[in-house]
Amino acid sequence: MLGAIIGDIAGSRFEFEQKPSEGFELFSEESNYTDDTICTMAIADAILHGRSYKDSLLDWCRRYPEPMGGYGTMFSQWIDSRNPLPQASFGNGSAMRVSPVGWLFNNYHDVLDQAKRSAECSHCHSEGVKGAQCVAALVYWLRTCRITRDEVEGAVMRNFGYEIPPLKDINRIGRLGHFDSTCQETVPWAIRCFLESNSFEDAIRIAVLAQGDTDTKAAITGAIAEAYYEVPVELAESAFAYLPKDMLAVLSQFYSKIETTI
């Protein structure tokens, strides 16, 4: 969960106009959390307190109606609706928020089921559900050592049908200014960024340097990387400084829960 938040903040200032360069600062005065962090908090809060994913998402998104970068158009309409119904969306929003599921459930079938539920309340397209399930499954597999990093690519192909493109292709497309807004693109691209890394921080940097949807790609990469690498204390403390008290409270409850159940 913290990995997703760090990735979100690190990528936030590069999503639209700025372009990252080698050695960029992970945290700056221009950085902030975005809808990725808000929605991740909502998923964790739902699980921790027995709320429906829909109610928790609506609560948190309405509590923070104007995050840095805003919400996607379809998701914003869902938030503002008097009777929010699932949309046939395969946007990457279902995948960027799901990491708490991979940590808080300890059975693979429960992880898949809960990831599906967390997605389909707003993103009911099969690709939107699959993207969430893939990220949650990877977090679960890696944190429990069910698979090694070398086995990730094969496991993802067998279970979710994603081909993981080479990093050079992702970087080329990013330099052309393409914005990877769908699960079908962002999830496999984020997985490749993780696979090319040698540390948690390196994974975040690779994802941001790939450009495109930098905050979401880095959030998904960070979520996966946290399940494999140790998150440096200094990066965690830097991220905490951006978060309001209610988010810090959820983070505290989340990691306390993990310590008692894992």
Side-chain angles (χ1 to χ4, degrees):
M1 180 177 179
L2 181 57
I5 294 166
I6 292 172
D8 177 37
I9 295 171
S12 62
R13 63 191 171 106
F14 301 112
E15 183 177 358
F16 297 109
E17 297 181 0
Q18 293 190 51
K19 292 185 178 180
S21 58
E22 293 285 348
F24 67 91
E25 291 184 38
L26 284 180
F27 302 98
S28 77
E29 292 182 356
E30 299 171 292
S31 305
N32 208 339
Y33 64 84
T34 77
D35 59 323
D36 298 46
T37 292
I38 295 168
C39 292
T40 299
M41 290 290 172
I43 298 304
D45 188 28
I47 300 168
L48 291 168
H49 298 108
R51 309 173 71 187
S52 74
Y53 292 117
K54 175 181 176 181
D55 288 347
S56 192
L57 282 165
L58 290 171
D59 173 18
W60 280 88
C61 294
R62 289 170 178 174
R63 196 185 310 179
Y64 292 94
E66 297 180 353
M68 182 177 183
Y71 295 101
T73 301
M74 290 180 67
F75 190 64
S76 184
Q77 293 171 351
W78 183 81
I79 295 167
D80 294 337
S81 173
R82 289 186 178 182
N83 181 31
L85 299 174
Q87 299 174 324
S89 172
F90 46 78
N92 56 25
S94 61
M96 56 80 165
R97 70 197 188 200
V98 77
S99 59
V101 171
W103 284 98
L104 292 172
F105 293 93
N106 291 309
N107 175 280
Y108 176 62
H109 297 291
D110 289 341
V111 168
L112 291 185
D113 177 61
Q114 293 297 322
K116 180 174 187 274
R117 294 185 187 192
S118 77
E120 65 187 2
C121 61
S122 60
H123 295 61
C124 65
H125 191 284
S126 60
E127 291 290 346
V129 171
K130 183 173 78 172
Q133 289 181 316
C134 181
V135 174
L138 273 176
V139 170
Y140 169 74
W141 283 335
L142 289 169
R143 74 168 178 83
T144 58
C145 300
R146 294 296 197 278
I147 61 173
T148 66
R149 185 163 72 167
D150 290 342
E151 294 171 324
V152 164
E153 202 163 345
V156 167
M157 170 57 78
R158 287 192 304 274
N159 289 275
F160 302 102
Y162 286 136
E163 292 188 13
I164 313 300
L167 186 60
K168 63 180 179 61
D169 289 352
I170 299 170
N171 286 334
R172 178 181 57 81
I173 295 171
R175 284 193 295 273
L176 294 174
H178 179 72
F179 194 82
D180 48 308
S181 61
T182 69
C183 281
Q184 300 95 301
E185 288 183 318
T186 309
V187 171
W189 291 10
I191 295 169
R192 173 58 66 196
C193 292
F194 162 69
L195 291 174
E196 295 294 319
S197 68
N198 56 39
S199 69
F200 176 82
E201 180 175 338
D202 189 44
I204 299 297
R205 290 188 176 280
I206 291 170
V208 173
L209 287 169
Q211 299 187 52
D213 194 353
T214 49
D215 61 330
T216 297
K217 188 152 57 258
I220 295 172
T221 301
I224 298 167
E226 183 187 7
Y228 185 77
Y229 298 117
E230 183 175 349
V231 177
V233 173
E234 62 271 20
L235 296 189
E237 291 178 344
S238 294
F240 294 156
Y242 290 89
L243 304 179
K245 290 182 179 179
D246 56 352
M247 293 188 187
L248 291 172
V250 171
L251 269 177
S252 177
Q253 294 165 8
F254 174 81
Y255 285 103
S256 293
K257 180 71 170 178
I258 288 173
E259 289 174 1
T260 60
T261 58
I262 295 177

